[in-house]
Amino acid sequence: MGSDVAMSPKITVELLRQLRQAMRNTKYIAEPIQAYIVPSGDAHQSEYIAPCDCRREFICGFNGSAGTAIVTEKHAAMWTDGRYFLQASQQMDNNWTLMKMGLKETLSQEDWLISVLPDNSTVGVDPWIIAADQWKNMSKALASAGHSLVAVQDNLIDAIWRDRPTRPSTQLLTLGLGFTGLTWQDKMTALRSKMAERKISWFVATALDEIAWLFNLRGSDIEYNPVFFAYAIVGMNTIRLFVDIKRLAVPTVREHLQLDTPSKAELSVQTAPYESVFTELQAVCASLGPKEKVWISDKASCALTQVIPKAHRSPIPYTHLCLAKAVKNATEIQGMKMAHIKDAVALCELFAWLEKEIPKGTVTEISAADKAEELRSQQKDFVGLSFPSISSVGPNGAIIHYRPLPETNRTLSLNEIYLLDSGAQYIDGTTDVTRTMHFGSPSAYEKETFTYVLKGHIAVSAAIFPNGTKGHLLDSFARQALWESGLDYLHGTGHGVGCFLNVHEGPCGISYKTFADEPLEAGMIVSDEPGYYEDGLFGIRIENVVLVVPAKPKYNYRNKGSLTFEPLTLVPIQAKMVNTDLLTQKERDWVNEYHRQCRETIGAELERQGRKEAMDWLIRETQPIA
Amino acid sequence: MGSDVAMSPKITVELLRQLRQAMRNTKYIAEPIQAYIVPSGDAHQSEYIAPCDCRREFICGFNGSAGTAIVTEKHAAMWTDGRYFLQASQQMDNNWTLMKMGLKETLSQEDWLISVLPDNSTVGVDPWIIAADQWKNMSKALASAGHSLVAVQDNLIDAIWRDRPTRPSTQLLTLGLGFTGLTWQDKMTALRSKMAERKISWFVATALDEIAWLFNLRGSDIEYNPVFFAYAIVGMNTIRLFVDIKRLAVPTVREHLQLDTPSKAELSVQTAPYESVFTELQAVCASLGPKEKVWISDKASCALTQVIPKAHRSPIPYTHLCLAKAVKNATEIQGMKMAHIKDAVALCELFAWLEKEIPKGTVTEISAADKAEELRSQQKDFVGLSFPSISSVGPNGAIIHYRPLPETNRTLSLNEIYLLDSGAQYIDGTTDVTRTMHFGSPSAYEKETFTYVLKGHIAVSAAIFPNGTKGHLLDSFARQALWESGLDYLHGTGHGVGCFLNVHEGPCGISYKTFADEPLEAGMIVSDEPGYYEDGLFGIRIENVVLVVPAKPKYNYRNKGSLTFEPLTLVPIQAKMVNTDLLTQKERDWVNEYHRQCRETIGAELERQGRKEAMDWLIRETQPIA
C-alpha cells in the first residue's frame, strides 16, 4: 500500500536493461554483481513507505506492502505472501516470476539464488534498506553455496530512477499528556531504567513509530502513518534526535522538546540533521568503554548496525520501546475507545446510506470509500485514514489487499458481496475495521462461509487463555471451523494496532507464523480478522480491534491469572449473512451480547450527534438473532 | 526415567566437594573452571540413557528424563520442565536449587551463569554429551558476557564416579521385510537419493533410533528402547557401521548385513569399533574435495560435529532418516495397529481384574503395574515395556512422570483416582496409552476436570486441518476447554511414536513449544495426551496414539487436501468420569463412535483369545453415553 494499485502490468523491459547495466557499472561497484536484491522497506524498515522509497514497486510494478524483488543477469523474481498473489500477478509483466511465499513448492530467496546463479557469484544489496538479521541469514546461506553478499552503497534503483520524489519533511504535531498518559521525559526515564537493568549504555532507535511514541510527536511523512523521518540515540545522560532541522523551528515543537529551556542535562535533547546519524553513531562507538553495550533492534538496517563493533552490539528482536508502546496505558486505552466510537458512528452512517443508495446503482467501490472517508472526517480530531480503504465488490474482495482504481471500480449491487476494510487516524486513537455485507440475498454458500469466518472471529475474541500465552497459540482457533470444512485463509489472524500510530505494529500478533512474539498482556491491542476468499468470486473478512483484558474464569490454575479480549470496534455484524443453524448457543449469545453493546454505546453517541438514519439502521441491525 | 525413582533426596555434599575439586584439578583441565555443566543425555543425545550415562542423576539425585545440572564453585542448580517439578524437588537435597523451566521468573541456564559467575569465568562441559546447537547457543551467550565455554575432554563426573557401570552391548535382533516394509538396502538408496538431491557427499548418523531404523536392527542397550550403541557414516559408495565388533559374530546378523556375501560395492557394509568413529570421521574429512558437504544433525554431539571443518559442514535440524522414519509405511502401520490391538486386550484384562480386586484392598501401584506387564507379556511378539509404567493413585498422579517405589507405593481404592500411563514394545510396534479411572464414585470436581481433558483430547483427535499444518498449531485445541475454566497443564500435548522403536521420537509433535517441527503428513504417528494435575490431590491424563490420515471434508481449498487423526489405541475411556452435560453432541458422538470401534476391534480379539471377563468388561464400558 502507500500508493495507487494499478491493475495492469508495468512494462519493465527497459528498466531491467538499465538495472542490469548498472549491476555491471564500475561507477557504482568495484566488480560486477550477478544479482541485485530490492527489499520493500526504507532505511527504517517501515512497512508503509514514502514515495521516494518505493524502489521495489518502481522496478517491478507490484505495490503491495510486502515483497522483495531480485534481479539477476537472466532472471527477475518477486516474493510476496498470500494476501498479494492475485494483485502481484496482475501488476507485473512477464519479465517477472511471482514467487508465492508459504506454498510448499516455492523456493526461498536464498535457495532460488543458489539455483540460478553461476558459481562464485556476487549478490548486491543496499545495506540501508536490508535489516541486519536478513543480511545475516542471506549472507550465511549464500556463503554456504560459494557465493557472497556485498553492500552496494549507491542504490542502483535510485541510479536509474529519473524524477525520484524527494524525502518528505512535514510539520510536527506535539501530543500532550491528555493523549499520551506519559510525558516523553517519563518514557525516557523508563527506557533508561530498562537499559540500566540490562547494563546497556546506549540505545539506537530506528523505527519511526517508536521514535514518534518516545517523543510524543507525530508527523505525516508517510501516508496513513503519523510518523516522521528521524533517528534517536539515547545514552544514560544524552538524548540525540536526528531529524530535518527545519522542522524544529516551530515554537510548539521547541517548547515540547524544551530546546530553549535549561533542563536537567540528562533530559536535554540535542538535535542533529537526519543524515548525520551514521557519523554520530560512529563517534559514540569510538568512545565506548571495553564492556559497554549498545542496544539496537536486529530489524535495524545493516548499514547502521554494522557501525557498532560486534563486541559492543546487543541486538534484540524487539526494543523496549516496541513492547512499552504495545501495552497501552489507561489514557491511551480511553483514547482508543473514543476513537472507535467515533469510527463506528461514521460506519453506521455509511451503511445506512449504502442501503438506501445501492438500489439506485450509483454507488461504486471508490464512491463508497470516499463516502466513508467523508463521514469519518466529520468526527472530532480526525486526522486521516490509517490505510487505503479496501472497498471491494464481488471478485475484487478476493484480492486481499485490494484498492479500487477507476479501471477496476465495480458498482455495488444487490447481487454481490461488499467487503470494506478501512480505518482512520484520530488524535486519540487509530481504527481498523472490516465488515462484509450483502445488500440483497446472499447465497447459501456465501452464508455458510461467512458463518465459518464468524465462528473463527468469535473463537478468538471470546477465548480465555492463561497469562503468558503467546498470540500465535490462538491462531488456530480462528481457523477451526473453516478447517473442518476443508477451507482456510492465507494470512495471519491479527496484528498489533498503534494508538494514533501505525495500524500495524509489533511485537504481538495472532498468526500461524511463530515470529518472535511476546506473550499477550493486559493493555495490548490487536486485530481479530479471519477471512475466507474465493478467487474470482468474493472475499469475506470480519475484523474487530480488540483489547487484551484480565478474565475471571471459575478457577485460577497456579495463580497464573487469565486473559481475554474486549472488542473496541462496535459495528454490527450483518445478521443476514449468518446461517444461525451453524452457530452454537454460546456463539449466538456472543453475537447478541456484542450487538447489545453496539446498540448501547454507539446508539448513545448517534443520539448525541443527532444522526437519526444511522440510529434507525443500528437498531435494525442489532436485533437479537434466534 | 531409565532407572528407579527414589523419592527421598540424594545427599550430595561429598560428591559436590569432589566435583569442585576436579574442576580445579590440572589432571583434567589446563586451567581451573568456574562452572561445570552436566547435561542429561549420552553421546547420541538419547532421551533415555544407559546406567553408565546417568551422570546428571549421579551428581544431583534427580532421575527424570529431562534436566541439566550446573555446578559452580558456590552454587548447584538443576533445570527441568513442568512434568518433573515435584519429583525433582523430592529427589534433590538442599545443596541444589531447582530451576523451573517455563515459569516467567526462572532464569535460563545462560542468564543464571552470567548472574552468578565472577568476571571472565570459564565454564566447562564434556563435548560428547552436549549437542552442537546447544554448545553454540551457550558459547555465544557466555562470550557476550565476557565468559568462555570450554570442552573438557575427561568427563569430570566419570572421574569421581566409583563403580560406574560399563556400557551395555546386548544381542542384536534382525528385522525382516514383514516388519519393516523396506530392506535396509532400500532405505540406504532413498537416503542417498536425498543426499544427491542436496549435493551432500557424506552423512553421519548419530541418533541410535535412526541407526536402528536404517539397518533394520534392534538391540536392548537402553532399557525400554530397542536400540544399540552405534554410529554410521554413509557416503555415496561407502557404508561404515561403528559398533562393538563382538556383536557382529552372530550368523543372523552377519547374513542380514551381508558381511560375508560379495555384494555391490555401494551396498557393502564396512564395520569398525564403536570408539573409532572419531578418527574415521577425521579421515573422511581429510579427504573431502573443496565443495563436498557432510550432513550432520545439529543435535549431534559437539565433539563429533567439530571434527567436520565448518566449510564442509551442513548442519540440519533433523536428518532425512528422522523424517523418513516418522512417516510409517503400510507394513509399519499394519504392525502398529496389531500391536495396539494386543495392548488393548491386555489393558481390558487388567481393568476387569482391577475392578474385581481393588475392593479387597490388596492392589497397589506396583502390583497393578506388574499385572499390566504380566498381561502384556502374554501377547504375541512382546519384547518389553516401552517406558516405566506410571501407575499412580491420588496425589501421586500429580507427579507427571511418577514411578511407584516401595516407599511411595499407594494402595488402589474406591476413593482415589488411578492414572496408568504405560506401553510396550512388540516386534510389530510400540504402544503408549494413558487411562484415568475411578473405581468408586468420583467427585463432581474430578468429573468436571476429567471432562475438560476429554474435550481437549477429542478436539485434537477429531481435528481436521490442511496438509502442511505443523503440529504446534493443534496444541491449543487440547487446552481450550481447560483454559475457559482457568486451568492448564504444563506439558506438551503429543510426541511422535516409533514403530518398535523409541516411544518418543521426532521430528513431529503437538506442543505449545514451536520446536523445528515438520508439517504433519499422512502416515505419521503421534500421541494425543492432554492432562490436568492438582498437586497433592490427583492427576488426570487421557492418551491415545493416533495415526495421521487423509480427511475428506466438504470442500478442498486450493486442492491442498486435509488431514485428521485415526486412533490406534482402542481402550475404553471411563464413562463414569465424564460429566456428559459438559460435552457437546458432537463430542458425545465421538465418544460413542470410539467405543463402538473398541468393542468391534478389541472385542473380536478378546473373543479369539477367549478372554471372557475382559470381554464382559469391554461390553459394559462401551455402552453408549446419552
Side-chain angles (χ1 to χ4, degrees):
Chain A
M1 290 195 251
S3 52
D4 286 341
V5 174
M7 283 300 160
S8 51
K10 174 167 181 168
I11 307 304
T12 59
V13 186
E14 174 57 18
L15 285 178
L16 285 171
R17 196 191 57 74
Q18 289 175 17
L19 176 59
R20 287 177 176 133
Q21 209 163 46
M23 287 161 59
R24 293 186 298 267
N25 190 336
T26 53
K27 188 174 148 193
Y28 306 117
I29 35 183
E31 298 280 338
I33 55 175
Q34 282 69 50
Y36 188 65
I37 304 175
V38 187
S40 73
D42 58 16
H44 306 271
Q45 277 62 50
S46 306
E47 181 187 7
Y48 293 38
I49 51 181
C52 60
D53 290 317
C54 295
R55 299 181 181 94
R56 186 252 300 142
E57 174 186 351
F58 174 78
I59 193 64
C60 73
F62 166 62
N63 69 352
S65 68
T68 298
I70 303 184
V71 176
T72 70
E73 287 158 324
K74 289 188 184 149
H75 303 90
M78 207 284 302
W79 283 255
T80 190
D81 61 65
R83 293 174 300 177
Y84 290 120
F85 291 168
L86 215 55
Q87 177 180 329
S89 70
Q90 293 177 354
Q91 293 184 321
M92 299 194 305
D93 69 10
N94 57 16
N95 291 296
W96 289 87
T97 306
L98 171 58
M99 305 297 287
K100 297 181 172 181
M101 288 163 68
L103 301 194
K104 211 174 169 180
E105 63 273 22
T106 304
L107 289 180
S108 67
Q109 293 165 29
E110 294 84 345
D111 288 343
W112 181 82
L113 276 167
I114 292 166
S115 76
V116 302
L117 286 177
D119 285 356
N120 298 309
S121 286
T122 304
V123 178
V125 67
D126 178 346
W128 282 94
I129 59 172
I130 186 167
D133 58 349
Q134 290 170 320
W135 169 279
K136 199 174 151 187
N137 294 340
M138 177 61 78
S139 176
K140 208 169 153 181
L142 290 176
S144 81
H147 308 297
S148 57
L149 183 66
V150 298
V152 180
Q153 294 301 334
D154 285 306
N155 190 293
L156 299 187
I157 301 295
D158 297 358
I160 63 168
W161 190 350
R162 295 175 193 204
D163 311 318
R164 181 170 160 248
T166 54
R167 186 161 302 283
S169 178
T170 55
Q171 201 183 316
L172 297 181
L173 174 70
T174 62
L175 291 183
L177 259 186
F179 289 106
T180 65
L182 289 169
T183 64
W184 64 260
Q185 289 90 342
D186 292 337
K187 293 178 179 178
M188 208 59 79
T189 306
L191 168 61
R192 282 174 172 152
S193 97
K194 281 282 165 196
M195 288 165 64
E197 202 175 277
R198 301 300 184 100
K199 298 179 184 157
I200 299 290
S201 311
W202 294 89
F203 167 66
V204 185
T206 63
L208 299 185
D209 61 339
E210 294 181 17
I211 298 167
W213 180 84
L214 176 62
F215 288 97
N216 291 337
L217 288 172
R218 298 294 187 269
S220 49
D221 290 2
I222 295 182
E223 211 181 349
Y224 311 110
N225 292 237
V227 296
F228 55 98
F229 285 103
Y231 291 99
I233 300 181
V234 178
M236 297 310 278
N237 296 298
T238 319
I239 301 168
R240 294 207 184 117
L241 176 62
F242 301 86
V243 67
D244 181 1
I245 293 295
K246 289 196 302 288
R247 313 174 97 158
L248 303 172
V250 187
T252 50
V253 175
R254 298 197 72 77
E255 194 188 332
H256 177 83
L257 292 175
Q258 302 206 272
L259 295 181
D260 306 311
T261 333
S263 59
K264 279 189 267 179
E266 74 269 21
L267 288 174
S268 145
V269 178
Q270 298 158 25
T271 58
Y274 175 68
E275 294 76 14
S276 67
V277 64
F278 189 83
T279 49
E280 287 287 325
L281 183 57
Q282 279 180 321
V284 163
C285 291
S287 69
L288 288 174
K291 289 209 151 192
E292 286 194 284
K293 290 277 178 190
V294 182
W295 250 356
I296 188 162
S297 165
D298 61 13
K299 307 281 174 303
S301 71
C302 172
L304 216 49
T305 303
Q306 294 191 346
V307 169
I308 309 166
K310 212 170 172 181
H312 295 288
R313 213 184 290 160
S314 193
I316 36 180
Y318 46 86
T319 69
H320 160 71
L321 296 187
C322 179
L323 190 56
K325 175 167 61 60
V327 183
K328 272 70 178 172
N329 63 42
T331 307
E332 290 170 322
I333 291 171
Q334 190 50 34
M336 285 293 272
K337 286 187 175 173
M338 293 309 302
H340 280 83
I341 292 172
K342 294 182 284 189
D343 211 57
V345 164
L347 283 185
C348 289
E349 278 234 299
L350 174 76
F351 292 129
W353 179 83
L354 285 178
E355 223 173 64
K356 215 175 54 192
E357 298 296 319
I358 288 173
K360 302 179 188 164
T362 52
V363 185
T364 67
E365 292 169 344
I366 294 177
S367 72
D370 289 347
K371 184 73 180 177
E373 182 167 1
E374 178 200 323
L375 292 166
R376 282 182 162 118
S377 73
Q378 295 167 5
Q379 296 296 317
K380 187 160 171 268
D381 288 335
F382 171 85
V383 176
L385 298 186
S386 57
F387 59 95
S389 300
I390 301 170
S391 172
S392 54
V393 170
N396 289 340
I399 304 170
I400 299 177
H401 274 204
Y402 174 78
R403 185 183 177 183
L405 283 180
E407 62 265 37
T408 63
N409 197 16
R410 282 178 93 86
T411 301
L412 275 68
S413 79
L414 302 180
N415 306 317
E416 291 186 312
I417 288 182
Y418 177 59
L419 183 158
L420 178 65
D421 184 352
S422 62
Q425 299 286 1
Y426 303 89
I427 297 181
D428 43 9
T430 303
T431 67
D432 182 1
V433 46
T434 309
R435 286 297 178 267
T436 305
M437 308 269 220
H438 201 296
F439 294 92
S441 301
S443 72
Y445 181 63
E446 287 166 339
K447 287 172 70 172
E448 179 186 359
T449 50
F450 182 94
T451 307
Y452 296 148
V453 174
L454 176 60
K455 287 168 84 79
H457 180 93
I458 296 171
V460 169
S461 196
I464 295 175
F465 49 91
N467 261 311
T469 301
K470 293 184 171 190
H472 71 256
L473 290 171
L474 307 180
D475 184 74
S476 301
F477 291 159
R479 299 178 199 273
Q480 195 167 15
L482 287 162
W483 281 359
E484 266 176 31
S485 296
L487 307 177
D488 197 5
Y489 54 96
L490 300 182
H491 60 74
T493 301
H495 53 80
V497 179
C499 180
F500 185 30
L501 262 176
N502 294 357
V503 74
H504 293 168
E505 68 169 27
C508 296
I510 301 173
S511 176
Y512 56 96
K513 291 175 217 157
T514 54
F515 45 85
D517 59 344
E518 275 293 275
L520 293 168
E521 55 180 288
M524 286 181 170
I525 292 178
V526 297
S527 70
D528 170 14
E529 46 178 318
Y532 178 68
Y533 310 92
E534 284 264 343
D535 286 351
L537 284 176
F538 62 82
I540 289 166
R541 187 159 62 251
I542 303 173
E543 175 186 25
N544 280 353
V545 168
V546 295
L547 170 69
V548 182
V549 294
K552 291 267 169 271
K554 197 167 171 189
Y555 305 111
N556 186 6
Y557 183 63
R558 299 203 170 186
N559 285 312
K560 232 182 160 180
S562 292
L563 298 170
T564 187
F565 297 109
E566 175 189 325
L568 298 183
T569 306
L570 291 172
V571 178
I573 294 164
Q574 196 179 38
K576 185 203 284 185
M577 283 291 286
V578 181
N579 178 343
T580 48
D581 294 346
L582 299 176
L583 295 184
T584 64
Q585 188 54 46
K586 246 172 145 173
E587 289 163 341
R588 283 188 284 264
D589 292 346
W590 185 94
V591 170
N592 289 334
E593 170 56 22
Y594 178 71
H595 281 158
R596 195 197 57 74
Q597 285 176 42
C598 290
R599 191 187 281 204
E600 181 177 302
T601 307
I602 308 308
E605 182 65 16
L606 285 170
E607 182 116 28
R608 210 186 56 76
Q609 296 193 17
R611 297 181 186 262
K612 175 115 187 37
E613 284 189 16
M615 183 66 162
D616 292 345
W617 179 86
L618 176 69
I619 298 295
R620 274 202 317 277
E621 291 291 313
T622 53
Q623 302 293 339
I625 60 173
Chain B
M1 291 197 250
S3 51
D4 285 341
V5 174
M7 282 302 162
S8 52
K10 174 165 182 170
I11 307 305
T12 59
V13 187
E14 175 56 18
L15 285 178
L16 284 171
R17 197 191 56 76
Q18 289 175 17
L19 176 59
R20 287 177 175 130
Q21 211 163 44
M23 286 161 59
R24 291 185 301 265
N25 190 336
T26 52
K27 188 173 147 194
Y28 307 117
I29 35 186
E31 298 280 338
I33 54 175
Q34 282 70 51
Y36 188 65
I37 304 175
V38 187
S40 73
D42 57 18
H44 306 270
Q45 278 62 50
S46 306
E47 182 188 6
Y48 294 39
I49 51 183
C52 60
D53 290 318
C54 295
R55 298 180 181 95
R56 186 250 302 143
E57 173 185 353
F58 174 79
I59 192 64
C60 74
F62 166 63
N63 69 352
S65 68
T68 298
I70 303 184
V71 176
T72 69
E73 287 157 323
K74 289 187 183 149
H75 303 91
M78 207 284 301
W79 282 254
T80 191
D81 61 65
R83 293 173 301 177
Y84 290 120
F85 292 167
L86 216 55
Q87 177 180 329
S89 71
Q90 292 176 353
Q91 293 183 321
M92 299 194 304
D93 70 9
N94 57 17
N95 291 297
W96 288 86
T97 305
L98 172 57
M99 305 298 285
K100 297 180 172 180
M101 289 163 67
L103 301 194
K104 210 175 171 180
E105 63 271 23
T106 304
L107 289 180
S108 67
Q109 293 165 28
E110 294 84 345
D111 287 344
W112 180 83
L113 277 168
I114 292 166
S115 76
V116 302
L117 287 177
D119 285 357
N120 298 309
S121 286
T122 305
V123 178
V125 67
D126 178 346
W128 283 94
I129 59 173
I130 186 167
D133 59 348
Q134 290 170 321
W135 169 280
K136 197 173 153 189
N137 294 339
M138 178 62 78
S139 176
K140 207 168 154 184
L142 291 176
S144 80
H147 308 298
S148 57
L149 183 65
V150 298
V152 180
Q153 295 300 334
D154 285 306
N155 190 293
L156 299 187
I157 301 295
D158 297 357
I160 64 168
W161 189 351
R162 296 176 193 203
D163 312 318
R164 182 170 160 248
T166 54
R167 186 162 303 283
S169 178
T170 55
Q171 202 183 314
L172 297 182
L173 174 70
T174 60
L175 291 184
L177 259 186
F179 289 105
T180 64
L182 288 169
T183 64
W184 65 258
Q185 289 90 341
D186 292 336
K187 293 178 179 179
M188 207 62 78
T189 305
L191 168 61
R192 282 174 174 152
S193 97
K194 279 282 165 196
M195 288 165 65
E197 202 175 279
R198 300 301 184 100
K199 296 178 187 158
I200 300 291
S201 310
W202 294 90
F203 167 65
V204 184
T206 63
L208 300 185
D209 61 339
E210 294 180 17
I211 297 166
W213 180 84
L214 176 61
F215 287 97
N216 291 338
L217 288 172
R218 297 293 186 270
S220 50
D221 290 1
I222 295 183
E223 212 181 349
Y224 311 111
N225 293 235
V227 296
F228 56 97
F229 285 102
Y231 291 100
I233 300 181
V234 177
M236 296 310 279
N237 295 298
T238 319
I239 302 168
R240 294 207 183 117
L241 175 62
F242 301 87
V243 67
D244 181 1
I245 293 295
K246 289 197 302 288
R247 312 175 97 157
L248 302 174
V250 186
T252 50
V253 175
R254 298 196 72 77
E255 192 186 334
H256 177 82
L257 291 175
Q258 302 206 268
L259 295 182
D260 306 312
T261 332
S263 58
K264 278 189 267 180
E266 74 269 20
L267 289 174
S268 145
V269 178
Q270 299 158 26
T271 59
Y274 175 68
E275 295 76 14
S276 67
V277 65
F278 189 84
T279 48
E280 287 287 326
L281 184 57
Q282 279 181 321
V284 163
C285 290
S287 69
L288 288 174
K291 288 208 153 194
E292 286 193 286
K293 290 277 178 189
V294 182
W295 250 357
I296 188 163
S297 165
D298 60 13
K299 308 282 175 300
S301 71
C302 173
L304 216 49
T305 303
Q306 293 190 348
V307 168
I308 309 165
K310 214 170 170 179
H312 295 289
R313 213 184 290 161
S314 193
I316 36 180
Y318 47 84
T319 67
H320 160 71
L321 296 187
C322 180
L323 189 56
K325 174 166 63 59
V327 183
K328 274 70 181 172
N329 62 42
T331 307
E332 290 170 321
I333 290 171
Q334 189 51 34
M336 286 293 270
K337 285 186 176 174
M338 293 310 300
H340 280 82
I341 291 171
K342 295 183 283 189
D343 212 57
V345 164
L347 283 185
C348 290
E349 278 234 299
L350 174 77
F351 292 128
W353 179 82
L354 285 178
E355 221 172 66
K356 215 174 52 189
E357 297 296 319
I358 288 172
K360 302 180 188 162
T362 52
V363 186
T364 67
E365 292 168 344
I366 294 177
S367 70
D370 289 347
K371 186 73 181 177
E373 182 167 0
E374 179 200 323
L375 292 166
R376 281 183 162 117
S377 72
Q378 296 167 4
Q379 295 298 317
K380 184 159 174 269
D381 288 336
F382 171 85
V383 175
L385 298 187
S386 58
F387 59 96
S389 299
I390 300 169
S391 171
S392 54
V393 170
N396 289 340
I399 304 169
I400 297 177
H401 274 203
Y402 174 79
R403 184 181 176 184
L405 283 179
E407 63 265 37
T408 63
N409 197 16
R410 283 177 92 86
T411 301
L412 276 68
S413 79
L414 303 180
N415 306 315
E416 289 184 314
I417 287 181
Y418 177 59
L419 183 157
L420 178 66
D421 184 353
S422 61
Q425 299 286 1
Y426 303 89
I427 296 182
D428 43 8
T430 302
T431 67
D432 181 1
V433 46
T434 309
R435 287 295 178 267
T436 305
M437 308 268 221
H438 201 296
F439 295 91
S441 300
S443 72
Y445 181 64
E446 288 166 339
K447 288 172 68 173
E448 179 187 356
T449 50
F450 182 94
T451 307
Y452 296 148
V453 173
L454 176 60
K455 287 167 84 79
H457 179 93
I458 296 171
V460 169
S461 196
I464 294 174
F465 49 92
N467 261 313
T469 302
K470 292 183 172 192
H472 71 256
L473 290 172
L474 307 179
D475 184 74
S476 301
F477 290 159
R479 299 177 199 274
Q480 194 167 17
L482 288 162
W483 281 359
E484 267 176 28
S485 296
L487 306 177
D488 198 5
Y489 54 96
L490 300 182
H491 59 74
T493 301
H495 53 80
V497 179
C499 180
F500 185 32
L501 262 177
N502 294 357
V503 74
H504 293 168
E505 67 169 27
C508 295
I510 301 172
S511 176
Y512 56 96
K513 290 175 218 155
T514 54
F515 45 84
D517 59 344
E518 274 294 275
L520 293 168
E521 54 180 290
M524 286 181 170
I525 292 179
V526 297
S527 70
D528 169 14
E529 47 178 317
Y532 178 68
Y533 311 92
E534 283 265 343
D535 285 353
L537 285 176
F538 63 82
I540 288 166
R541 187 160 60 254
I542 303 173
E543 175 186 23
N544 280 354
V545 169
V546 294
L547 170 69
V548 182
V549 294
K552 292 266 169 274
K554 197 168 170 188
Y555 305 111
N556 185 7
Y557 182 63
R558 298 202 171 189
N559 284 313
K560 232 182 158 178
S562 292
L563 298 170
T564 187
F565 297 109
E566 175 188 326
L568 298 184
T569 305
L570 292 172
V571 178
I573 294 163
Q574 197 179 36
K576 187 203 281 184
M577 283 291 286
V578 180
N579 178 342
T580 48
D581 294 345
L582 298 177
L583 295 184
T584 64
Q585 188 53 48
K586 244 170 146 174
E587 288 163 341
R588 282 188 285 264
D589 292 346
W590 185 94
V591 170
N592 289 335
E593 169 57 21
Y594 178 71
H595 281 159
R596 194 197 58 73
Q597 285 175 43
C598 291
R599 190 187 282 203
E600 180 177 303
T601 307
I602 309 307
E605 182 65 15
L606 284 170
E607 183 118 24
R608 209 186 57 77
Q609 295 193 17
R611 297 181 187 262
K612 171 116 190 38
E613 284 188 17
M615 184 66 163
D616 291 345
W617 180 86
L618 176 69
I619 299 294
R620 274 202 316 280
E621 291 291 313
T622 52
Q623 301 293 338
I625 60 174

